[in-house]
Amino acid sequence: MEKWSLMTITVLLALIVRWTVSLGSYSGAGKPPMYGDYEAQRHWQEVTYNLPVKQWYFNTSDNNLLYWGLDYPPLTAYHSFLCAYIAKLINPDWIALHTSRGYESQSHKLFMRTTVFVADLLIYIPAVILYCHSLKETSTKKKISSALCILLYPGLILIDHGHFQYNSVSLGFALWGVLCLSYDWDLLGSVAFCLALNYKQMELYHSLPFFCYLLGKCFKKGLKGKGLLLLTKLAGTVVASFAVCWLPFCTDVEQIMQVLRRLFPIDRGLFEDKVANIWCSLSVLIKIKNIVSPQTQLKLSFAVTFLSLLPTCIKLTVQPSLRGFKLALVSGALSFFLFSFQVHEKSILLVSVPVCLILNEIPFMATWFLLVSTFSLLPLLLKDGLLSAYAVTTLAFLSTCEASLAVFDKTSVKDLQLQPFSLSLRGFVSWFKPFPRVVRNLFLLSVTLMGALSVMSAAVHPPHKFPDLFPILVSSVSCLHFLFFWAYFNIIMLWDSNSRNQKKAS
């Protein structure tokens, strides 16, 4: 009973933080003609409620796709329709066709904020609590501490409850998928991930680890017996899940093709804004968009992403384990973020939530990554007037992680789970002796640099010749961090099972 009482207090604290952040500004507030993501979500409610399903993704006189046209999968559209149905009961003006464009009022803001709050409370937060409860060989205190730190991760709070989006829905479904797989409920886990993928197509970042882990389990059971049966059941579950989600669009091939065109707009280019990935950072020196055609950009990004994913995917398929699965979710999503096509700055959340899953195992590196991921969102947060919320939630998160998980004491080679890697470099073992001190100093240097850039971005006017100086510095510094983390997580993923197999053999 005491454990669940503490979990309840943890949830209440997380909800208070979310609601406090939601009292501030949101994306595009009072900035016509396009406004921002807040207006996009409202507009989708307007479209889905007033137009027939067959017109949701098509350009018509009533649905101008150039004005926040629907570009997410069917589950997002259904969710918009559900919110619109409730909105209609409260105030029809909020979703009136055409005339509601750019609608802003305190009552409508309260309604919209509540829809995010409820989605978080119903889908994401329960998944986090149950995941932390399911952790094996972990004390009750550590389970509660992990839950608190995950729920206070500032990146997701600031984007969903500040900027305004519903990332907690797709990420929550993905977490339910991980939770189900941890209990060997493979079919339910597949359904949960299908729901995530049909809510936001960016969940493709997590698709290969799910696929490779389940395929590896089938191989392990033997493809002539139980493994083949499981593979058949999984295939049937995925097909059925997609069929249900896409049913209203399956009556016409052109409908399906139009939805797909909206989901994967190749013509938008390699990246948008100042995102902290390799292509945006390189473009500071080499204008890739100007010297390489869009088709070549697509092929290049696909090839680099595929090659960066290949080692962990092979490892996970050959040696499927739940721990390896979680590490593959991190390294795989980070590969997509760093190297893939058409990446948004908010896509870092698809890496951050899997990192949250290993917060109790590698607290120092996980906390460091989560701080950097929030920092990488700074240019967007400044546009939305969320500087105070960014500063307070980031400091609160760091303080909570240190107080509850003692992250600064977990910097040894063993704590960072680099022991198998260090043993494989027998001739260089002496290099790892000063490692804890070096890592702590790097962390302090990193935090100091991020703090300085945060202050300068908010308080210093850039030179007239370089108006994007600070956003570029933020994205470039973040990208260098992410490349470091990508190498780190790949190393512990690729070397992890060897040490475990050695332990079993001994």
Side-chain angles (χ1 to χ4, degrees):
M1 285 296 292
E2 183 182 356
K3 179 177 75 172
W4 288 111
S5 298
L6 291 172
M7 281 292 192
T8 302
I9 294 171
T10 298
V11 171
L12 288 174
L13 180 59
L15 292 176
I16 290 170
V17 172
R18 282 159 166 73
W19 192 253
T20 303
V21 170
S22 73
L23 296 176
S25 184
Y26 52 83
S27 170
K31 296 178 182 178
M34 293 300 291
Y35 301 92
D37 277 345
Y38 176 93
E39 168 62 11
Q41 302 291 341
R42 188 216 60 78
H43 180 64
W44 294 347
Q45 294 175 21
E46 171 194 344
V47 168
T48 54
Y49 188 85
N50 290 288
L51 301 180
V53 174
K54 290 184 178 181
Q55 292 184 28
W56 287 358
Y57 291 91
F58 280 88
N59 194 60
T60 66
S61 57
D62 291 324
N63 185 23
N64 180 8
L65 294 182
L66 294 179
Y67 184 81
W68 298 117
L70 191 57
D71 54 4
Y72 282 141
L75 274 189
T76 290
Y78 305 150
H79 181 211
S80 297
F81 176 81
L82 176 62
C83 292
Y85 183 84
I86 299 170
K88 179 78 172 180
L89 297 175
I90 301 172
N91 187 344
D93 292 341
W94 292 348
I95 57 163
L97 191 61
H98 302 309
T99 59
S100 62
R101 182 172 291 192
Y103 193 100
E104 292 179 312
S105 72
Q106 282 301 314
S107 58
H108 184 252
K109 177 185 174 182
L110 177 62
F111 168 76
M112 294 290 279
R113 292 297 198 191
T114 303
T115 61
V116 180
F117 194 80
V118 170
D120 213 347
L121 185 59
L122 292 180
I123 300 173
Y124 181 75
I125 291 177
V128 171
I129 296 300
L130 291 176
Y131 170 78
C132 292
H133 175 68
S134 73
L135 293 173
K136 297 173 183 176
E137 301 176 5
T138 306
S139 65
T140 299
K141 180 183 177 182
K142 199 170 182 181
K143 289 178 180 179
I144 294 169
S145 298
S146 297
L148 179 61
C149 293
I150 294 172
L151 291 176
L152 290 183
Y153 166 57
L156 183 59
I157 295 173
L158 291 168
I159 293 299
D160 274 17
H161 299 271
H163 175 82
F164 197 90
Q165 281 193 335
Y166 295 96
N167 293 289
S168 59
V169 177
S170 57
L171 292 170
F173 281 137
L175 272 183
W176 279 107
V178 174
L179 182 63
C180 289
L181 294 189
S182 69
Y183 284 105
D184 289 325
W185 299 340
D186 298 331
L187 300 184
L188 283 176
S190 298
V191 171
F193 183 67
C194 286
L195 292 176
L197 191 53
N198 279 288
Y199 191 88
K200 283 202 173 183
Q201 66 270 35
M202 283 80 79
E203 278 297 326
L204 284 169
Y205 282 36
H206 301 146
S207 59
L208 282 176
F210 270 90
F211 175 78
C212 293
Y213 175 67
L214 291 171
L215 183 62
K217 287 187 74 172
C218 294
F219 286 149
K220 202 171 181 179
K221 289 175 181 289
L223 284 181
K224 292 184 179 179
K226 292 182 179 179
L228 180 60
L229 179 62
L230 176 59
L231 184 61
T232 304
K233 288 180 178 179
L234 288 169
T237 300
V238 170
V239 170
S241 300
F242 269 80
V244 171
C245 291
W246 286 69
L247 190 60
F249 305 94
C250 291
T251 55
D252 184 5
V253 175
E254 181 55 28
Q255 278 281 332
I256 296 175
M257 294 307 298
Q258 176 63 10
V259 176
L260 292 175
R261 281 192 289 268
R262 293 296 300 164
L263 299 188
F264 304 104
I266 296 174
D267 57 337
R268 285 187 183 177
L270 193 56
F271 58 86
E272 288 190 13
D273 294 327
K274 302 298 182 288
V275 61
N277 77 346
I278 194 72
W279 307 120
C280 182
S281 299
L282 282 176
S283 69
V284 176
L285 303 173
I286 306 169
K287 302 302 179 184
I288 302 173
K289 287 185 174 182
N290 296 336
I291 63 177
V292 180
S293 68
Q295 289 297 325
T296 305
Q297 292 173 28
L298 179 62
K299 292 174 183 177
L300 177 64
S301 62
F302 175 81
V304 176
T305 306
F306 176 76
L307 291 174
S308 68
L309 288 163
L310 196 58
T312 54
C313 288
I314 292 173
K315 187 65 131 182
L316 186 60
T317 306
V318 175
Q319 297 176 349
S321 68
L322 188 62
R323 174 178 159 71
F325 170 56
K326 290 189 285 187
L327 289 172
L329 285 172
V330 175
S331 61
L334 194 47
S335 289
F336 268 102
F337 181 82
L338 283 170
F339 307 117
S340 67
F341 191 84
Q342 219 347 263
V343 174
H344 296 260
E345 65 269 63
K346 298 182 285 292
S347 298
I348 195 60
L349 298 178
L350 293 154
V351 190
S352 300
V353 169
V355 170
C356 287
L357 301 182
I358 56 174
L359 190 57
N360 68 305
E361 298 176 39
I362 321 172
F364 180 82
M365 294 300 276
T367 300
W368 189 1
F369 177 89
L370 294 172
L371 289 173
V372 177
S373 69
T374 304
F375 168 73
S376 73
L377 297 166
L378 180 62
L380 178 67
L381 299 176
L382 288 175
K383 283 182 184 178
D384 296 337
L386 294 169
L387 176 63
S388 298
Y390 160 76
V392 172
T393 54
T394 300
L395 290 173
F397 173 73
L398 178 58
S399 302
T400 302
C401 288
E402 170 55 23
S404 56
L405 298 176
V407 294
F408 295 119
D409 296 330
K410 305 289 177 63
T411 57
S412 69
V413 172
K414 184 178 179 181
D415 288 326
L416 297 178
Q417 302 189 6
L418 287 169
Q419 213 166 22
F421 179 66
S422 66
L423 291 173
S424 69
L425 301 174
R426 293 179 182 176
F428 305 93
V429 172
S430 59
W431 290 13
F432 288 87
K433 289 182 180 178
F435 196 73
R437 178 169 51 82
V438 171
V439 169
R440 280 196 293 268
N441 288 338
L442 283 174
F443 174 81
L444 292 175
L445 177 63
S446 168
V447 170
T448 302
L449 181 59
M450 290 190 291
L453 279 175
S454 296
V455 172
M456 292 172 69
S457 297
V460 179
H461 291 289
H464 291 295
K465 290 184 178 180
F466 307 104
D468 293 328
L469 176 63
F470 293 126
I472 288 173
L473 286 174
V474 169
S475 64
S476 299
V477 168
S478 300
C479 181
L480 288 173
H481 278 85
F482 292 147
L483 285 170
F484 164 72
F485 286 117
W486 177 80
Y488 169 76
F489 286 121
N490 272 279
I491 286 171
I492 62 172
M493 166 66 188
L494 295 174
W495 266 264
D496 175 68
S497 57
N498 290 335
S499 64
R500 292 181 174 265
N501 290 340
Q502 288 168 6
K503 287 181 182 179
K504 288 179 182 178
S506 61

